[in-house]
Amino acid sequence: ETGVTQTPRHLVMGMTNKKSLKCEQHLGHNAMYWYKQSAKKPLELMFVYSLEERVENNSVPSRFSPECPNSSHLFLHLHTLQPEDSALYLCASSQDWGGGTETQYFGPGTRLLVL
Amino acid sequence: GNSVTQMEGPVTLSEEAFLTINCTYTATGYPSLFWYVQYPGEGLQLLLKATKADDKGSNKGFEATYRKETTSFHLEKGSVQVSDSAVYFCALINNDYKLSFGAGTTVTVRA
């Protein structure tokens, strides 16, 4: 049990659908992250939130829209995705953002398939 | 920029064998180094970390030593079990505060 939960665990959606991924952390952390894990590629950092403010946006297409309503919850809203967006989406949290030794704790991920 | 290179897998070995996964990095300054493990169907779990040169991280029988002179952080375990079958990721975080991962090494341990 890592203290970071993600729902749903699996999602299949068409290219015209709109869906949302949810992440919740029970660790009292102030920073939360979205990563994309594709086959045979290193993990890609997508977004970082610190104290509910976005501090990093790594050139992610606008069809991915993050939302952080409070320090415990993070959403990733999806719309008009492409098949190449199929991947494992991982959420993580850390105590704070900006410390060089911060350990990030990961959730189990949402396996997304775009048809 | 920062980057992490790990040995390509897959690695297949028998129970009780010795495991080494090589990891080298490129970074300015003094990054913190991590090994994460991903078991089948799960997310990443922190396995161990080291925050300064010559530090040794250890957990669950795994060890890795931060070697600044060789910019390496090789993962070792003296006697692996079937339950150690997983994907192992080397990673670093530097003064840009971004966690950079290697590509991952798949390890399969056979009974």
Side-chain angles (χ1 to χ4, degrees):
Chain A
E1 177 57 52
T2 64
V4 181
T5 58
Q6 291 185 241
T7 54
R9 293 293 307 274
H10 301 273
L11 178 62
V12 180
M13 59 187 291
M15 289 189 284
T16 58
N17 292 156
K18 291 184 180 181
K19 297 287 184 182
S20 296
L21 310 185
K22 179 182 176 182
C23 175
E24 184 173 0
Q25 58 95 0
H26 314 275
L27 302 170
H29 289 169
N30 294 316
M32 296 186 77
Y33 311 76
W34 279 117
Y35 288 87
K36 177 183 179 182
Q37 186 179 27
S38 304
K40 302 189 184 301
K41 293 177 66 176
L43 271 77
E44 302 171 55
L45 178 64
M46 300 175 71
F47 301 104
V48 181
Y49 276 81
S50 175
L51 297 170
E52 302 153 44
E53 290 194 14
R54 192 189 307 180
V55 296
E56 195 71 31
N57 178 350
N58 275 5
S59 302
V60 179
S62 59
R63 56 186 184 270
F64 295 92
S65 175
E67 178 190 3
C68 188
N70 55 63
S71 60
S72 299
H73 293 86
L74 184 66
F75 294 89
L76 187 63
H77 303 301
L78 315 172
H79 65 98
T80 59
L81 293 193
Q82 304 299 311
E84 60 264 31
D85 296 322
S86 299
L88 181 67
Y89 289 85
L90 292 165
C91 175
S93 71
S94 65
Q95 184 61 58
D96 293 295
W97 163 256
T101 62
E102 289 295 337
T103 298
Q104 295 181 22
Y105 296 87
F106 285 79
T110 295
R111 176 71 63 185
L112 173 66
L113 177 62
V114 181
L115 301 177
Chain B
N2 304 315
S3 67
V4 176
T5 303
Q6 22 182 145
M7 61 184 286
E8 292 187 18
V11 174
T12 302
L13 55 168
S14 300
E15 264 192 321
E16 300 183 3
F18 185 88
L19 171 67
T20 298
I21 305 176
N22 289 341
C23 171
T24 57
Y25 67 89
T26 301
T28 57
Y30 301 92
S32 294
L33 303 175
F34 304 84
W35 277 101
Y36 282 86
V37 58
Q38 186 174 31
Y39 298 103
E42 299 183 14
L44 275 69
Q45 299 177 27
L46 178 67
L47 182 58
L48 52 84
K49 71 175 185 179
T51 59
K52 60 183 188 296
D54 298 324
D55 266 3
K56 177 185 284 188
S58 61
N59 186 26
K60 299 182 180 180
F62 290 89
E63 292 183 341
T65 301
Y66 188 141
R67 302 286 189 200
K68 188 157 182 65
E69 63 276 14
T70 54
T71 62
S72 65
F73 193 54
H74 304 322
L75 182 68
E76 297 182 337
K77 185 173 184 181
S79 177
V80 293
Q81 304 300 313
V82 173
S83 57
D84 294 323
S85 298
V87 183
Y88 293 82
F89 294 90
C90 186
L92 70 83
I93 193 164
N94 206 352
N95 51 13
D96 62 355
Y97 313 134
K98 297 180 184 180
L99 196 59
S100 298
F101 285 89
T105 302
T106 300
V107 173
T108 302
V109 180
R110 293 181 174 168

